[in-house]
Amino acid sequence: MTQFARRIAFWFLASFLALVLVPPELSAANRDRIEAFLITTGFDVALESIALSSRSAPQMLGVDPEGFGSDWTRLTDEVFEVGAMHDTAVSILEQTLSEEALSHAVEFYASDLGQRLVEAENASHMQEDDDVKQLAGQRIISDLIKNGSKRVESFKRMNSAIDSADTALRALQEIQVRFLLAASASGVIELQLNGDELRELMRQNEPAMRQSLQLSNLAGAAYTYQDFSDADVDTYVDALEQPLMQEVYELLNAIQYEIMAMRFEVLAARMAELHPAQDI
């Protein structure tokens, strides 16, 4: 499973915002506070790493990315321009992130442990060779299981806390559908199925996809936090399970993956500039 797949936790933003908009009695954070929040928590790097997910786009369309040459790099640099994605995230957070939730998250991530975690997560996000990370993480998990370590259960709790609403799989499916439909509409591919048929096809494959996603997330956590002690990992999991941190992650996930969905739709439309249509 690629970085693209692991990071998908998308709900339609309009539906989500109806649930998480800050009540009138709570003030949303101002822009300077949001900017500091992004750096402290590492979410700025998570946004930047979205561009790496564009590498999976040609494969989803059955296209060899090598055939695009330098044009592909140029196009993805334009579509996944970091500054634009950053500004979108900040604008949404200004309207939705409460001061209480922001302060809670910053207090944890500004701590010594929090900053070490952010440093490790940032490095993991920007690891370009995802296969290397996955293989290394799988070996770590295998060794932990052989040694009877409880750390594997801690990683499972961690991944559940990060995606507490269990939306990752449906998010992956929805972004793939939106990308394929946009590619078809722009003439990049000739798609034989409509949106409902695509979603039904994906629904039929859910058990295998869910298992793959869970295993991928587990290996990713093992790789990212390999240099942390069991006590550090458990402290982090406890922090992630707190209600205010859950609120923060639900919001960050929704924003991150709506940005991904929108960018992939733009990418699909502009891929018509690069190669002729083909059947899939």
Side-chain angles (χ1 to χ4, degrees):
M1 186 70 68
T2 65
Q3 284 180 329
F4 170 70
R6 285 201 314 281
R7 293 182 186 138
I8 307 285
F10 159 73
W11 286 16
F12 286 113
L13 190 59
S15 298
F16 179 81
L17 293 182
L19 298 176
V20 300
L21 281 172
V22 182
E25 64 272 14
L26 296 178
S27 60
N30 63 43
R31 192 173 190 88
D32 289 342
R33 292 267 286 159
I34 292 296
E35 293 284 2
F37 164 84
L38 293 178
I39 295 172
T40 303
T41 61
F43 189 59
D44 59 335
V45 176
L47 287 171
E48 183 179 350
S49 71
I50 289 176
L52 297 178
S53 67
S54 66
R55 296 178 179 181
S56 65
Q59 289 89 336
M60 283 202 294
L61 300 178
V63 176
D64 181 7
E66 297 298 326
F68 296 142
S70 61
D71 282 346
W72 178 250
T73 300
R74 173 190 57 77
L75 179 59
T76 55
D77 284 348
E78 292 175 5
V79 172
F80 292 90
E81 201 275 313
V82 173
M85 294 190 294
H86 180 94
D87 288 344
T88 298
V90 171
S91 295
I92 297 173
L93 285 168
E94 281 186 290
Q95 302 300 317
T96 58
L97 181 61
S98 70
E99 282 285 354
E100 183 181 16
L102 181 150
S103 297
H104 179 84
V106 167
E107 181 179 1
F108 175 79
Y109 282 110
S111 68
D112 176 69
L113 173 59
Q115 285 300 285
R116 287 191 290 117
L117 289 164
V118 168
E119 182 179 359
E121 290 167 354
N122 287 351
S124 182
H125 281 316
M126 300 307 294
Q127 167 61 260
E128 296 190 11
D129 193 337
D130 196 55
D131 289 339
V132 169
K133 181 163 64 175
Q134 280 292 296
L135 288 173
Q138 289 167 10
R139 286 194 293 268
I140 293 171
I141 291 295
S142 178
D143 290 341
L144 291 173
I145 292 174
K146 288 178 182 178
N147 295 329
S149 173
K150 296 180 179 179
R151 194 179 179 95
V152 177
E153 291 304 315
S154 295
F155 287 145
K156 290 180 180 178
R157 283 178 56 203
M158 177 187 294
N159 289 330
S160 294
I162 290 172
D163 182 28
S164 61
D166 194 28
T167 60
L169 180 58
R170 282 187 289 276
L172 167 60
Q173 294 170 334
E174 192 60 34
I175 285 189
Q176 289 176 327
V177 168
R178 287 172 63 173
F179 180 59
L180 291 171
L181 291 177
S184 178
S186 65
V188 175
I189 58 173
E190 293 181 13
L191 194 60
Q192 304 302 317
L193 304 176
N194 61 34
D196 289 340
E197 291 169 334
L198 278 173
R199 291 182 179 92
E200 175 58 23
L201 182 62
M202 291 184 181
R203 188 192 65 77
Q204 294 173 8
N205 294 325
E206 275 189 9
M209 292 177 67
R210 185 179 298 278
Q211 182 180 36
S212 179
L213 189 61
Q214 290 172 342
L215 292 174
S216 177
N217 287 339
L218 199 60
Y223 174 87
T224 301
Y225 307 107
Q226 59 185 301
D227 293 329
F228 290 82
S229 68
D230 288 350
D232 284 343
V233 170
D234 287 341
T235 297
Y236 192 25
V237 172
D238 289 341
L240 290 171
E241 291 176 338
Q242 295 301 307
L244 281 174
M245 196 72 89
Q246 295 277 288
E247 176 185 330
V248 169
Y249 268 87
E250 282 191 48
L251 181 55
L252 294 183
N253 286 341
I255 292 171
Q256 181 175 358
Y257 301 118
E258 174 61 11
I259 290 174
M260 289 181 71
M262 292 188 295
R263 293 296 86 200
F264 268 83
E265 286 178 323
V266 172
L267 179 64
R270 293 197 56 188
M271 283 178 71
E273 305 170 11
L274 303 180
H275 70 87
Q278 70 177 64
D279 291 335
I280 63 169

